[in-house]
Amino acid sequence: MGEVVGAAILAHVPTIMLPKETRYELNDGKEISLVPGLQKLRKDVMETLDYDTVVVLDSHWATTVEFVVSAQDHREGKYTAEELPRGMSQIPYSFKGDPEFANSLANYDEKNGTWITPISDPYLPIFYATVNLWDYLGKGLDKRWVSMSVCQTATTEDFLRAGRALGEAIRDSDRKVLLLASGALSHTFYKLRDLRKHEASDPSHIFSPEARAADEERIEWFKAGDHARVLDTMPEFMKFKPEANFSHYLTMAGALGEEANTSKGEMYSDYENSVGTGQVHIYFPKPEGGFPLPKDMVLSRD
């Protein structure tokens, strides 16, 4: 029986890939906390925890008629971002995939009322929401990495259903899995002519006081393990345009039992701004007794 051994919401912002001197220049002469946060997470978790496969819930990989999961044996190349090639250029990546596990997800989509397609095409694009995290957390560790897309036509319920399918595939495998929800909290950018006034990490630069308050409220709920409240208040949070409709977190939540999950978040960064958007690293360790089963499995067991 497989299990999730840890989970996290992680920021992947382009700033973390800039040279140190550039980061300091943009941030009033000091380091953004996201960088030492990833370095600490690697030391505390990625280099010490017993796991086989990392699943990145990639908020930058937008598909339309289905969720897609990468199913290659191996992925290798150099990545230059179409969005910001100045800051993310020719980043080398090379890691094992997990085709057996990725292909198994197709066995659980229909029963959860969703659609998941594994794709092993070697020319399948890769995105910096995966590459940036691998560069900090996976390089040199010889673990399997798999990415799962966000379906841009999906709703909150669809993300939860995809997560339930993911959770069932993990449960029925022999894998120990780390889930990385790669994406932001509130996600509204400043307009171009104002944007460079708001590149520093201080949360006073978040796009609006209301967005900052909504982010900080949810961070406190994550720290308390109150995932039920986060899920119950999704309609309110959607007013602040969380990245990719918060798909990265919602899919992770679906895999971890949704409101039954009470894992308390551990902060691995400060809450920071990135040109108006809310960024943070929060790690959820496996609770005593393990994460809850996916919701539909719990229901069928009662």
Side-chain angles (χ1 to χ4, degrees), residues 252-296:
M252 182 175 78
L256 300 180
E258 299 166 53
E259 67 273 8
N261 179 23
T262 57
S263 177
K264 294 182 178 181
E266 299 176 357
M267 297 290 285
Y268 270 81
S269 75
D270 298 332
Y271 169 60
E272 294 191 343
N273 163 72
S274 179
V275 291
T277 67
Q279 308 289 336
V280 72
H281 300 320
I282 307 176
Y283 177 65
F284 302 99
K286 184 178 74 171
E288 188 175 351
F291 288 102
L293 294 171
K295 190 172 184 180
D296 59 335

Side-chain angles (χ1 to χ4, degrees), residues 85-201:
R86 173 172 54 90
M88 293 175 289
S89 178
Q90 298 190 43
I91 302 166
Y93 62 90
S94 179
F95 53 82
K96 294 185 297 188
D98 194 343
E100 180 183 7
F101 173 72
N103 284 310
S104 75
L105 265 68
N107 298 324
Y108 300 92
D109 60 350
E110 191 171 321
K111 71 184 293 290
N112 283 289
T114 191
W115 297 269
I116 302 174
T117 303
I119 297 291
S120 60
D121 187 332
Y123 296 101
L124 185 72
I126 196 167
F127 298 89
Y128 72 78
T130 293
V131 173
N132 291 4
L133 294 188
W134 176 84
D135 191 77
Y136 274 92
L137 302 178
K139 186 163 55 178
L141 295 183
D142 197 34
K143 299 291 187 177
R144 304 179 181 113
W145 280 62
V146 169
S147 295
M148 188 170 175
S149 77
V150 47
C151 182
Q152 62 183 340
T153 55
T155 66
T156 292
E157 176 65 20
D158 292 312
F159 298 132
L160 293 172
R161 291 184 183 199
R164 293 168 196 160
L166 173 62
E168 290 190 356
I170 293 170
R171 178 202 66 211
D172 293 344
S173 73
D174 61 356
R175 302 294 196 266
K176 296 177 181 177
V177 175
L178 264 173
L179 296 180
L180 304 183
S182 181
L185 303 180
S186 64
H187 201 253
T188 302
F189 296 111
Y190 287 95
K191 298 303 181 185
L192 179 60
R193 282 176 289 170
D194 292 323
L195 186 146
R196 283 165 176 77
K197 303 172 188 174
H198 301 283
E199 291 185 303
S201 66

Side-chain angles (χ1 to χ4, degrees), residues 19-95:
K20 184 176 181 179
E21 58 270 19
T22 306
R23 298 197 303 268
Y24 275 53
E25 181 181 341
L26 294 175
N27 196 40
D28 302 325
K30 58 183 183 295
E31 181 64 283
I32 62 173
S33 75
L34 299 176
V35 169
L38 287 173
Q39 293 167 341
K40 185 176 189 315
L41 186 69
R42 180 183 174 111
K43 182 178 179 182
D44 291 354
V45 177
M46 310 302 291
E47 294 181 351
T48 62
L49 197 65
D50 181 16
Y51 63 100
D52 307 301
T53 298
V54 177
V55 176
V56 180
L57 304 168
D58 189 318
S59 61
H60 272 236
W61 182 11
T63 51
T64 303
V65 301
E66 62 201 344
F67 293 89
V68 176
V69 60
S70 62
Q72 298 90 345
D73 284 310
H74 185 82
R75 304 190 82 177
E76 183 171 352
K78 291 185 178 180
Y79 176 77
T80 295
E82 80 289 356
E83 181 182 341
L84 189 60
R86 173 172 54 90
M88 293 175 289
S89 178
Q90 298 190 43
I91 302 166
Y93 62 90
S94 179
F95 53 82

